[in-house]
Amino acid sequence: MTIDAKKVKLIAFDLDGTLTQHKSKLTPENLATLTALRQKYRLLMVGAGTCRRIFEQLDRFPIDVIGNYGMQYAKYNEATGDIDVMRDEQLPVDRDTIEKKVSYFREKYGFTEYAGDSVEYHPSGCITFAVLGTKAQLADKLAFDPDRKRRRAIYDEVKEAFSDYTVFVGGSSSFDMAPFPYNKAHALAQYCQEHGIDKDEAVFVGDDYGPGGNDESVLLAGYHFVKIDDYRTLPEKLAFLL
C-alpha cells in the first residue's frame, strides 16, 4: 500500500525493536528523526508498558503516549514538559482461573521448571505468562525461543484458552495478555476518533507484526503500516515522510 505523505496527519510508533533496542534509550539518529517528524506531524506512542515507563525510556521526548494496549493514555503537557495521565483503566483478574490454565500448559508442554513466579500480574489487569518464570536469567530467555516458533506452535491453543484476553507472543519467552478488547488497533482507533483523524491519515510504525505480535492487530486492521525489522534502519525507512 503506497503512503501519500501529503495526506498523513498522525504517525504512531511502537517502541522496543522499532525506535530502540529492547528497554534502551533512543539512538541520536532516531531521536533526530523523531524531532524532524514532530515539526510536520502529530506523533504518538502506542505501547504495551505503562505511559510513564515509555515516556522515561524516551528521555521525556514530547509526545502523547498510549500504554497498556490502550488501557492507559497520557497527554504531553508543553507547559510542564511532563505527561498528564488522562485515562487509566484497571480491571480485576481471576487469579485462580489464570493459574489453573497456566499450570495446564506447563504440564502439557513440559514448562514445569521456572524461576520466580509463574505469572506476572500487572496493576492494569494485563498478565504475563512467563514460560521460564519472572526471575529467569536473560541468557536463558534469549535462548529459549529466538525465532518464536515454539510459542507460535501453541499460540492458537493458548489464545482459545484465554478467550477473555488478547494474547500476544511477547518478549523472548512469554505470552502477554491484555483484557479483551484492548490491543494496539483498538487503542489507535480510539485515539484517531477522539482527535478527528481519519484512518487513511494515520501511519503506524512497528516491528512486531508477525503472527501473535503485538503490532499485528494494527496491520490487520488496514492502517498504513511501515515495517521495521531493525531499529537502526528507522531514519531511512521514514525518509519519505520528511
Side-chain angles (χ1 to χ4, degrees):
M1 182 184 298
T2 302
I3 302 173
D4 184 352
K6 294 180 181 179
K7 294 182 178 179
V8 175
K9 293 183 179 179
L10 171 70
I11 306 176
F13 295 90
D14 167 60
L15 181 54
D16 289 342
T18 299
L19 291 177
T20 70
Q21 180 62 281
H22 185 65
K23 293 185 178 180
S24 301
K25 301 292 187 178
L26 288 166
T27 63
E29 295 80 8
N30 286 1
L31 175 58
T33 296
L34 284 185
T35 301
L37 289 170
R38 187 172 182 263
Q39 307 309 309
K40 297 183 64 175
Y41 310 98
R42 178 189 290 268
L43 303 186
L44 173 70
M45 288 300 312
V46 187
T50 66
C51 292
R52 176 56 61 184
R53 186 190 72 75
I54 293 168
F55 185 62
E56 296 298 338
Q57 185 177 338
L58 290 169
D59 280 333
R60 297 177 161 237
F61 184 84
I63 193 170
D64 289 351
V65 183
I66 289 174
N68 297 336
Y69 299 106
M71 300 182 74
Q72 193 176 74
Y73 165 59
K75 185 176 181 179
Y76 181 74
N77 187 323
E78 295 279 358
T80 64
D82 204 347
I83 50 173
D84 298 326
V85 176
M86 313 300 291
R87 182 173 62 249
D88 189 9
E89 301 285 344
Q90 296 187 5
L91 299 178
V93 175
D94 182 347
R95 295 196 178 201
D96 287 341
T97 299
I98 295 297
E99 296 285 347
K100 288 177 182 177
K101 290 180 178 180
V102 168
S103 293
Y104 166 80
F105 283 104
R106 287 196 179 281
E107 291 294 332
K108 182 173 182 179
Y109 292 104
F111 303 143
T112 52
E113 293 186 9
Y114 56 91
D117 295 327
S118 176
V119 181
E120 183 177 1
Y121 297 95
H122 304 277
S124 60
C126 293
I127 62 175
T128 299
F129 170 10
V131 177
L132 299 183
T134 57
K135 293 185 178 180
Q137 295 295 315
L138 178 59
D140 292 336
K141 292 195 292 184
L142 293 175
F144 172 72
D145 189 21
D147 56 10
R148 303 194 175 192
K149 287 183 178 179
R150 294 183 70 178
R151 284 170 293 160
R152 283 176 176 161
I154 64 172
Y155 173 68
D156 288 341
E157 189 178 355
V158 174
K159 187 167 64 171
E160 183 178 356
F162 293 91
S163 58
D164 292 339
Y165 291 82
T166 306
V167 181
F168 311 101
V169 178
S172 55
S173 59
S174 64
F175 289 99
D176 295 334
M177 307 180 194
F180 186 83
Y182 292 101
N183 60 34
K184 290 188 179 181
H186 180 273
L188 182 56
Q190 184 175 8
Y191 184 91
C192 287
Q193 182 178 18
E194 291 173 351
H195 291 84
I197 298 169
D198 292 335
K199 188 174 184 177
D200 63 358
E201 295 173 330
V203 173
F204 187 86
V205 185
D207 74 307
D208 198 8
Y209 52 82
N214 67 27
D215 298 328
E216 182 192 23
S217 65
V218 183
L219 180 65
L220 295 179
Y223 284 91
H224 294 302
F225 197 108
V226 177
K227 298 177 179 178
I228 303 295
D229 296 314
D230 183 334
Y231 72 96
R232 293 168 294 184
T233 67
L234 183 87
E236 65 187 75
K237 290 277 190 173
L238 299 185
F240 75 99
L241 290 167
L242 293 170

